[in-house]
C-alpha cells in the first residue's frame, strides 16, 4: 500500500518524537511491504519563524492532498516565547485551530487508558486504580465556543468580552454518530456529557443524541452533566467507555482523564473528518522545557501513528504490531523519565524509539 503522510514536526519536543514515530513506521513499511512518502510541512511556532504566520495555505494544501497527517506538538513557553507577544490570531495555537477547521476535523478521539505496567503512576487510590480503565473521549472539535463569534467591545466606559457557543443539529448529529459507531466496536456504552441544566446548546445536544441513539439499540447511553463527569472521572473512571461531548468540555475533561492515567506521555489522539482522513498527534503538549534533550517520551506519538494505520489505512495488523511492541518494551522494564519508577531501566527518547522498532 502507498501511504502519503503529511508530517508536522512542530515545536519543542515535536521534532524528536516525530523522528521516533517515523522510525517505527518505516520498520512497519519494510516488514509489511508498504511504501511511505512523508511530506514535511511547517505549522505553529516553526511556521511563524519561517513565514510570519502559524499556518500557510501551502501547508493546508499539502495536508489536504495527503492521506493523513502525523503531528508532533506545537507551541512554546507562553511566558517567555516571542510567539506569545503576537496578536492571538498569529500565535502557534491559532494555526492548529485553523488547520482543524480547514480540514473539517470535527471528531477528536482521545483514548485514556491505564496501562497495567504503569498502574503505579495512577494518582488515584489503589482500590480505584486496581479496577483499571480504558475510555475514549469523543470530543467535537470544530464548533462551540472555540469557533463562535468573539469580540471585545467598549460598553458603559468598560471593556466587555463576548464569546459565543453555538451548535447546529447537524454538527451535533455527525459527532454523536461517530461516538455511537465507536462505542459499537468497544464496550457499547456512551456517556454524553453536557450542561443541559443551564445551556440551550446542551439541551439541543441531548435531544439530537437521543435521536441518534435510536439507531444503535445495542449501545446503552446515558446523559451526564459536565461538573458531575469531572467528579466521576476521579471517583470511578472504570464506569466510562465512550464519553461524547462538545469542544470545550472535551478539552477540559480529556486533560483530566489523561492526568488520571498518570502517564500523559502515553496518550495518543486522532482528529478525523467524515472520511478516513485524520490528523494524528500525542495528547500532550510541546514541553519546551525539555526540548532537544532527548528525554521526551515518544510513545504517545508512536501510538498516534498506530491509530493512523488503523483509522486512515485500515492496517489493523500493523497497528496491533506497534501496540504489541510497546507492550513488550514496557514489560521488559524500559521507561522514559516521565514514567520511570524504582527498579526500571531509564532510556532516552531515541532509545525508546529504537527499542520499539527492534521489537516489530
Ligand atoms: C488541545 C489543546 C488545544 C485546544 C489548544 C492548544 C488550542 O489544548 O488540543 O486540547 O484547546 O484544543
Ligand atoms: Mg487541551
Amino acid at each position: 500500500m502507498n501511504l502519503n503522510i503529511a508530517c508536522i514536526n512542530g515545536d519543542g519536543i515535536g521534532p524528536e518524537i516525530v523522528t521516533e514515530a517515523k522510525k517505527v513506521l518505516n520498520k512497519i513499511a519494510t516488514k509489511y511491504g508498504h511504501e511511505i512518502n512523508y511530506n514535511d510541512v511547517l505549522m505553529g511556532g516553526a511556521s511563524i519563524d519561517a513565514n510570519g504566520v502559524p499556518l500557510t495555505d501551502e501547508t493546508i494544501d499539502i495536508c489536504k492532498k495527503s492521506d493523513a497527517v502525523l503531528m508532533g506538538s506545537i507551541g512554546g513557553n507562553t511566558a517567555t516565547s516571542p510567539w506569545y507577544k503576537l496578536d492571538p490570531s498569529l500565535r502557534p495555537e491559532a494555526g492548529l485551530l485553523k488547520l482543524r477547521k480547514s480540514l473539517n476535523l470535527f471528531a477528536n478521539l482521545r483514548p485514556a487508558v491505564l496501562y497495567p505496567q504503569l498502574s503505579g503512576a495512577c494518582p488515584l487510590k489503589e482500590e480505584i486504580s486496581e479496577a483499571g480503565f480504558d475510555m475514549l473521549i469523543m470530543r467535537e472539535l470544530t464548533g462551540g465556543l472555540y469557533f463562535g463569534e468573539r469580540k471585545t467591545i467598549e460598553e458603559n466606559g468598560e471593556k466587555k468580552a463576548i464569546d459565543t457557543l453555538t451548535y447546529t443539529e447537524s454538527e451535533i448529529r455527525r459527532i454523536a454518530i461517530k461516538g455511537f459507531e465507536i462505542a459499537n466496536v468497544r464496550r457499547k456504552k456512551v456517556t454524553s456529557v453536557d450542561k443541559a441544566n443551564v445551556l440551550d446548546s446542551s439541551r439541543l445536544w441531548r435531544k439530537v443524541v437521543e435521536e441518534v441513539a435510536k439507531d444503535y439499540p445495542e449501545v446503552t447511553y446515558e446523559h451526564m452533566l459536565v461538573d458531575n463527569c469531572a467528579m466521576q472521572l476521579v471517583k470511578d473512571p472504570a464506569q466510562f467507555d465512550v464519553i461524547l461531548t462538545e469542544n470545550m468540555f472535551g478539552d477540559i475533561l480529556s486533560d483530566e482523564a489523561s492526568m488520571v492515567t498518570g502517564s500523559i506521555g502515553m496518550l495518543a489522539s486522532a482528529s478525523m473528518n467524515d472520511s478516513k482522513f485524520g490528523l494524528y498527534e500525542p495528547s500532550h503538549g510541546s514541553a519546551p522545557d525539555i526540548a532537544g534533550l532527548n528525554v521526551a517520551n515518544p510513545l504517545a506519538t508512536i501510538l498516534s501513528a498506530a491509530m493512523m494505520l488503523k483509522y486512515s489505512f485500515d492496517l489493523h495488523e500493523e497497528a496491533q504490531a506497534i501496540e504489541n511492541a510497546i507492550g513488550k518494551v514496557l514489560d521488559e522494564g524500559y521507561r522514559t523519565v516521565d514514567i520511570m519508577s524504582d527498579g526500571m531501566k531509564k532510556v532516552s527518547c531515541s532509545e525508546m524509539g529504537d527499542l520499539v522498532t527492534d521489537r516489530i
Side-chain angles (χ1 to χ4, degrees):
M1 186 177 207
N2 256 316
L3 289 70
N4 287 307
I5 302 172
C7 230
I8 300 171
N9 277 342
D11 311 316
I13 58 171
E16 299 161 59
I17 54 182
V18 171
T19 300
E20 301 314 309
K22 280 181 170 171
K23 252 187 213 169
V24 172
L25 283 173
N26 292 341
K27 179 71 180 283
I28 289 283
T30 313
K31 181 157 179 202
Y32 292 86
H34 303 298
E35 175 101 23
I36 306 184
N37 308 306
Y38 299 103
N39 234 322
D40 291 318
V41 289
L42 295 177
M43 206 262 286
S47 176
I48 297 174
D49 292 344
N51 309 307
V53 288
L55 178 68
T56 60
D57 290 343
E58 194 201 347
T59 290
I60 298 175
D61 228 52
I62 292 174
C63 290
K64 277 188 178 160
K65 287 189 184 125
S66 307
D67 302 319
V69 183
L70 179 66
M71 190 180 126
S73 46
I74 56 126
N77 184 322
T78 50
T80 56
S81 165
W83 300 330
Y84 296 92
K85 302 220 159 57
L86 299 168
D87 184 80
S89 66
L90 290 173
R91 293 179 194 169
E93 288 74 10
L96 180 59
L97 296 185
K98 187 172 168 197
L99 190 64
R100 286 172 179 168
K101 196 72 173 175
S102 310
L103 302 175
N104 196 26
L105 304 174
F106 65 87
N108 184 209
L109 288 67
R110 297 191 164 182
V113 183
L114 187 64
Y115 286 84
Q117 299 97 328
L118 304 177
S119 63
C122 175
L124 303 178
K125 280 192 197 141
E126 222 172 283
E127 67 231 46
I128 302 174
S129 64
E130 261 167 11
F133 57 85
D134 176 355
M135 70 182 97
L136 184 141
I137 299 186
M138 179 66 78
R139 167 189 177 195
E140 200 291 327
L141 202 60
T142 53
L145 271 175
Y146 277 65
F147 293 96
E149 194 193 339
R150 73 177 95 259
K151 61 184 170 191
T152 305
I153 57 172
E154 194 85 26
E155 202 177 81
N156 303 325
E158 62 172 351
K159 284 207 170 79
K160 177 172 165 179
I162 303 162
D163 296 288
T164 36
L165 200 183
T166 62
Y167 271 107
T168 63
E169 287 180 281
S170 52
E171 282 176 318
I172 301 169
R173 185 164 292 111
R174 64 182 185 176
I175 187 72
I177 289 171
K178 286 270 189 189
F180 278 86
E181 285 287 331
I182 203 135
N184 218 1
V185 295
R186 290 174 50 99
R187 298 196 310 280
K188 300 189 190 297
K189 181 179 175 193
V190 168
T191 304
S192 174
V193 173
D194 61 39
K195 188 71 186 169
N197 53 349
V198 178
L199 303 174
D200 256 20
S201 55
S202 284
R203 288 187 272 267
L204 185 62
W205 182 277
R206 254 183 209 215
K207 176 180 154 289
V208 175
V209 167
E210 275 172 21
E211 287 164 13
V212 171
K214 291 199 182 97
D215 295 331
Y216 299 87
E218 308 267 274
V219 178
T220 57
Y221 76 98
E222 62 184 348
H223 301 289
M224 191 178 279
L225 295 173
V226 61
D227 44 356
N228 183 27
C229 184
M231 292 196 298
Q232 296 299 327
L233 275 171
V234 289
K235 185 170 166 241
D236 176 19
Q239 71 183 283
F240 296 110
D241 178 19
V242 174
I243 292 180
L244 167 66
T245 193
E246 65 93 54
N247 203 346
M248 179 76 138
F249 298 158
D251 178 45
I252 298 166
L253 294 176
S254 62
D255 264 25
E256 186 187 357
S258 63
M259 190 62 230
V260 165
T261 69
S263 41
I264 184 164
M266 301 290 300
L267 301 183
S269 85
S271 305
M272 316 277 307
N273 67 14
D274 47 17
S275 71
K276 295 219 158 275
F277 182 86
L279 179 149
Y280 300 85
E281 58 172 322
S283 283
H284 59 72
S286 61
D289 50 322
I290 57 163
L293 302 179
N294 195 21
V295 297
N297 184 349
L299 293 178
T301 318
I302 295 172
L303 284 163
S304 303
M307 280 182 102
M308 175 176 78
L309 296 179
K310 202 176 338 179
Y311 293 119
S312 284
F313 299 104
D314 281 321
L315 297 174
H316 296 269
E317 196 186 329
E318 287 83 339
Q320 192 61 52
I322 295 179
E323 286 166 17
N324 293 347
I326 290 177
K328 272 191 215 149
V329 170
L330 294 176
D331 285 342
E332 290 167 35
Y334 295 105
R335 304 282 187 271
T336 44
V337 64
D338 57 307
I339 51 174
M340 185 61 192
S341 60
D342 283 353
M344 299 294 130
K345 292 170 263 192
K346 188 156 93 185
V347 294
S348 67
C349 177
S350 57
E351 284 166 338
M352 186 54 105
D354 289 337
L355 286 163
V356 175
T357 307
D358 287 346
R359 277 148 192 76
I360 286 168

